[in-house]
Amino acid sequence: MEQFNSSRIEFPAESSPILTDASGQYPEPLNFLFNNVISWIPRGEPKLFSVACDPDIWGQRLKDPRLKNSSQLQGALLQKYFQECRTELETGDNGYFANMSMLTMKYDPFGHPFLRRVVINLPGNIKLKGLLGLKGDFKRRPMVIIRLGIFANSEDFKAERAWMMMLFEQSPFNVLLLENMSSGQFVTNNNQFSFGGYDEGIQNLLIAKLLNDNNEPLSQLVDSVHFFGISLGGHGILFASLLNKYNSSAARPLMQSFTAMCPVVDLNATMLSLTNSGVKSAFVDLWGRQRLSALEEKIPALVSYDSFSFLSTTITEVARTYKGGLSYISSIKLPPGMKDGPDFWELNNFWKFYKNIEQPVLIFATEQDPAVPFNINSQRLQNKDLKVDSKNIRVVDLPQGIHCSLPIAYDWGALTTLLQAQILSHSPGFKMTERSLAIDLADDEWKGFFDKGSSVKFTVNEPAKKSGFATVELELENAAGKEKTMNLSLPLSQFDFRFLNKELSESEQEMIVRWLNQNLHLSIETTQKTPVLKATWPVAL
């Protein structure tokens, strides 16, 4: 990674991971949950869908040139898919406890050779920390920037792990994951503090400029720039989609697409909901106090405050003492009529300036959402209660899942396929090719087995640490119900990652299983009356 170092994008020396607060413990009342619940490893096993609900077919429809420039059309297609195929897509895990497993996935980003800590230096002496995931080659790929949710930082992002697995490990993208400004890590590393879409939107714009700057070494690996925001991190990508209109050149937009998962749309109303809702507010306040303990040294009003009012006092003081965008510089073009200044809430209520956005903005929202209530956020865009003069923004509302715990409530592989397709549809310069392996099944033991049709299923075995191959166990079944099994060895050197170490880490072993489950396709074809097992998988050109 050193070859990508610059004054604006740094790769610091490795250090011990920071946990969540100064004590090195998870904040109560989450302590019991995270220290006593056994973590689980998502594998993303493929599911057999009917032809009508095959996610690969629907993914191809998303990439149809007639749809790809319209969020309304793409969003309508996705809404139709989730409605018509809900019996096949929904897992049935829709209770609060089941969806909490979104927070207990096993994932070790710091034992992952393809991930590296990064620091982005922005105007106003702002340091933004993150993790950069690169595939290990020098191919130009779509770069997906993930903006984390409330209190989350690049050292601790439990609720967002699934998205990192889907978008980096199982997809052909490079990924830059960035902390939320409300994280304790951001507070510790910066003298100024703020939160919300106005400041994060400016950050997103500046980062997009860096990744499009030919003088920036990392830009040589960037084909296109896409933003993916979760919860409070979604507010900033919504504002960035507006800034994109006024700061891009006529030849090429700085950012090609925007995807928001259960985003904050109305910051003021959402903060009031978080701090004035009884037991929920007490829980969030305690959580916030643990995560943002360093603020007590930087905001005098936090020396003394009423019980369970830490977060509300913090929000009040940030708004009261706000002097303007932390990284705002005069070269940033704001929408006509909008000016940087001290009115925190007015700047974060940018919807009256939201007009005629060209690059697509797609919002996924769950109707069950105690953190970012649907009725005061995404639903206001959907039912036009919030007047927005732009047709290229669309809300896809989903009945399953709680605060966008979609990887638990819906089929993992189908969701990954749709997210991939949506981003790829806005990456016209990026091309992929198909690698394949064909095995002749002409031996006598297979004679007549495939005459009336057959199906094939597979299970991926975790590769050994020193192995250069991944073993896939196949189960073939013919029309008569007879079954046969066989093993297939696939070379890691032909996958979409460059494995450079002599031994695979545990993170790499788990990643290979997820990648194959998502990308390996098997079929039985007949060539000159001889059955052939064909294995295919996509890689970047």
Side-chain angles (χ1 to χ4, degrees), residues 122-146:
L122 296 173
N125 198 28
I126 295 298
K127 293 185 179 295
L128 196 63
K129 289 194 171 185
L131 286 175
L132 179 65
L134 299 178
K135 293 292 193 290
D137 54 32
F138 291 93
K139 298 174 182 178
R140 285 184 178 268
R141 297 172 181 265
M143 178 70 78
V144 179
I145 294 92
I146 299 178

Side-chain angles (χ1 to χ4, degrees), residues 384-398:
K384 304 189 185 311
D385 176 53
L386 191 61
K387 305 298 181 185
V388 172
D389 188 14
S390 182
K391 295 181 179 179
N392 218 6
I393 181 170
R394 172 72 188 233
V395 175
V396 177
D397 67 287
L398 302 170

Side-chain angles (χ1 to χ4, degrees), residues 269-284 370-371 373 376:
T270 303
M271 291 301 106
L272 288 172
S273 172
L274 280 179
T275 56
N276 291 281
S277 299
V279 174
K280 179 183 79 173
S281 296
F283 176 91
V284 173
I376 60 173

Side-chain angles (χ1 to χ4, degrees), residues 334-352:
L334 298 175
M338 187 180 197
K339 293 183 179 180
D340 184 62
D343 195 331
F344 176 82
W345 295 116
E346 183 66 19
L347 290 171
N348 278 287
N349 186 22
F350 46 79
W351 293 106
K352 63 183 177 182

